[in-house]
Amino acid sequence: MPSITVARPCPDLCPVQAHAQGLAQKRSRVPLATKCNVNGIVAIAPTKLSLPRTLPRPVLREVEVNSLLDAYPACAGIPAEYIRDHLPLSTMRAALQAVATSVPESSLPKELDILMNDIVAAACPTHMFAVYGDASPACGQKRRVTLFPAHALVFGTHCANLPALPASQPSTSSARATVPVVPVRLPSPETFPLLQSYLYTQQPPSLAPPCDSDLLRLAPHAKKVYGLWRNACVLGVVDAPLYDAIEASWERTLSAIQACS
């Protein structure tokens, strides 16, 4: 997906981000230190990364579809679960992969034009997510933002904490469709593609620890699993199978780290 750097700040995605971060902080964490295992604490080579022993599953609450009714009035009275189960995900995935757009290099626009073709027209994305991280850019540096085309129906029916998205009904009858750009702040922007892939395939991501791993390979893997979990908590993803995959991978990853220590 296209990447740009922008200097202007973007608003927070939602207030529950602090709650998700607090979930991890309330659990005892596993500091990574050189080859020691004291009182059951897993540890590896010195690093700033620290790992919680568990990744607690958030309370899963069903999505309210009211925010989608202006754009999709036919959804009135239909449970979010039913909508999720009947989304044309394969057509939507194909449209995402076929999206082409012109991205400015110096600033984040409010709207972007998507070039239209038959594949995109079959399920045109409704928004362009501008995903960025928690960390403030260093002095004199610009914030890194990565753009991802997205469908309001996919994210709006899977993510209980997603704020109402700007109205968008892109026309597919011309050579270009204009969609709003939505700033999305996440604790782990680098793992957003994993989450988006799950939402569009309903296949839990492959999160098995690297085979024949050493500590230097396990630490980045643990960070990836942890980042995916944090993003899912912040967005309020309602899919239990995703958390099943995350929890299973986390247990295997910590066991592998402990074995290497």
Side-chain angles (χ1 to χ4, degrees), residues 16-26 29 134 185-187 226 229-230 233-234:
V16 299
Q17 183 166 357
H19 172 68
Q21 293 172 341
L23 283 175
Q25 294 171 352
K26 289 180 181 179
R29 301 185 66 81
D134 285 335
R185 178 182 176 183
L186 291 174
Y226 181 60
W229 170 77
R230 293 183 71 196
C233 291
V234 165

Side-chain angles (χ1 to χ4, degrees), residues 68-83:
L68 298 171
L69 296 184
D70 287 343
Y72 304 97
C75 291
I78 301 177
E81 182 178 9
Y82 182 89
I83 299 173

Side-chain angles (χ1 to χ4, degrees), residues 29-47 49 51 53 215 254-261:
R29 301 185 66 81
V30 179
L32 303 185
T34 304
K35 290 188 177 180
C36 65
N37 190 332
V38 180
N39 297 327
I41 295 180
V42 181
I44 63 174
T47 176
L49 178 67
L51 304 176
R53 287 192 180 90
L215 300 178
L254 290 188
S255 296
I257 290 174
Q258 189 170 18
C260 288
S261 300

Side-chain angles (χ1 to χ4, degrees), residues 143-228:
R143 187 184 300 279
R144 181 177 178 82
V145 178
T146 305
L147 299 177
F148 296 89
H151 295 87
L153 270 178
V154 174
F155 282 86
T157 56
H158 283 87
C159 302
N161 296 334
L162 188 73
L165 297 174
S168 175
Q169 292 180 307
S171 171
T172 59
S173 60
S174 60
R176 297 172 182 268
T178 302
V179 300
V181 175
V182 181
V184 177
R185 178 182 176 183
L186 291 174
S188 177
E190 63 274 13
T191 62
F192 179 78
L194 280 176
L195 180 58
Q196 185 179 39
S197 176
Y198 168 77
L199 295 181
Y200 279 83
T201 64
Q202 291 299 289
Q203 297 296 319
S206 177
L207 297 173
C211 296
D212 301 324
S213 299
D214 58 27
L215 300 178
L216 294 179
R217 295 180 64 196
L218 283 167
H221 179 75
K223 184 177 180 181
K224 178 176 74 172
V225 178
Y226 181 60
L228 177 60

